[in-house]
């Protein structure tokens, strides 16, 4: 899969760096050892972060700035990483979906990056382009119905949007039957070392919890 960062994204975030993790693996309904890791990180955050200080995490702070530069209010359309950590700090449990989705959520809160997780077999075409959502552009967020993505960074395949930092699309979502995984890490802070560490972390989680038989990542900008 070829990934293109459009000129409109380069204008609002010239230092953007992303990582695409691709893996062959298996999914399951629930993984107790994975949730032990999630709960441990949640407890650490409850002791060290507040709903205000979390905004200073590099990945979250940079994503919020890009939202503003694109004309979107990051307090109304929160990046997923921020929304997940806020939920933890408010004492609310994270949603338990399935092992692949739960794993991606852990990777997102661990590094503060908004991360898209997709069933790669559902993409149309061989190219994903990162651009900015347009007025009236149709987009069905997972579990959210039709949402307004005008001013949001959005990945598009050959027929339309598949992922934003707020919500991925129903059309390409991960299911219990997913075996070909694509994960996109959005480093709007431009810190390649952190993006690479996040990608390595995802591969480690996939080996431990999802019977990964093949996996790698590529950096794009």
């Amino acid at each position: 899969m070829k990934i293109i960062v459009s000129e409109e994204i380069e204008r609002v975030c010239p230092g953007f760096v992303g990582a695409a993790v691709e893996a062959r693996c298996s999914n399951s309904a629930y993984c107790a050892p994975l949730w032990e890791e999630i709960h441990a990180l949640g407890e650490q955050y409850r002791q060290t972060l507040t709903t205000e200080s979390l905004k200073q995490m590099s990945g979250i702070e940079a994503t919020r700035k890009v939202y503003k530069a694109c004309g979107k209010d990051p307090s109304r359309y929160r990046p997923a990483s921020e929304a997940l950590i806020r939920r933890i700090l408010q004492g609310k449990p994270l949603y338990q979906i399935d092992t692949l989705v739960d794993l991606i959520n852990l990777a997102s809160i661990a590094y503060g990056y908004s991360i898209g997780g997709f069933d790669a077999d559902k993409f149309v075409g061989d190219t994903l382009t990162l651009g900015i959502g347009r007025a009236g552009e149709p987009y069905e967020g997972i579990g959210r119905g039709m949402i307004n993505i005008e001013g949001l960074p959005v990945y598009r395949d050959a027929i339309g949007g598949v992922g934003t930092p707020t919500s991925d699309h129903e059309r390409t979502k991960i299911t219990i039957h997913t075996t070909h995984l694509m994960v996109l890490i959005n480093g709007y802070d431009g810190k390649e070392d952190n993006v690479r560490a996040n990608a390595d972390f995802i591969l480690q989680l996939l080996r431990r919890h999802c019977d990964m038989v093949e996996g790698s990542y590529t950096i794009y900008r």
Side-chain angles (χ1 to χ4, degrees), residues 70-86:
C70 293
K72 210 68 168 178
D73 180 358
S75 294
R76 183 177 179 190
Y77 295 86
R78 295 189 190 279
S81 53
E82 179 184 351
L84 288 167
I85 298 173
R86 281 178 62 88

Side-chain angles (χ1 to χ4, degrees), residues 124-201:
V124 177
D126 62 0
T127 303
L128 295 174
T129 302
L130 176 59
I132 298 175
R134 310 181 189 98
E137 183 172 0
Y139 191 93
E140 185 179 0
I142 297 174
R144 300 166 66 108
M146 301 303 291
I147 63 174
N148 174 17
I149 66 166
E150 181 182 4
L152 285 179
V154 58
Y155 287 94
R156 300 182 181 95
D157 66 4
I159 63 173
V162 296
T164 75
T166 291
S167 176
D168 293 329
H169 198 285
E170 281 280 352
R171 175 168 61 87
T172 49
K173 74 178 181 182
I174 293 166
T175 72
I176 197 68
H177 304 294
T178 296
T179 58
H180 185 190
L181 178 70
M182 173 72 80
V183 182
L184 301 177
I185 303 169
N186 297 285
Y188 290 102
D189 60 359
K191 295 185 176 181
E192 183 174 334
D193 287 348
N194 285 357
V195 171
R196 287 184 179 275
N198 202 169
D200 284 329
F201 182 55

Side-chain angles (χ1 to χ4, degrees), residues 107-129:
S108 180
I109 64 178
Y111 285 83
Y113 291 126
S114 289
I115 299 176
F118 310 92
D119 186 321
D121 291 337
K122 296 178 181 177
F123 290 137
V124 177
D126 62 0
T127 303
L128 295 174
T129 302

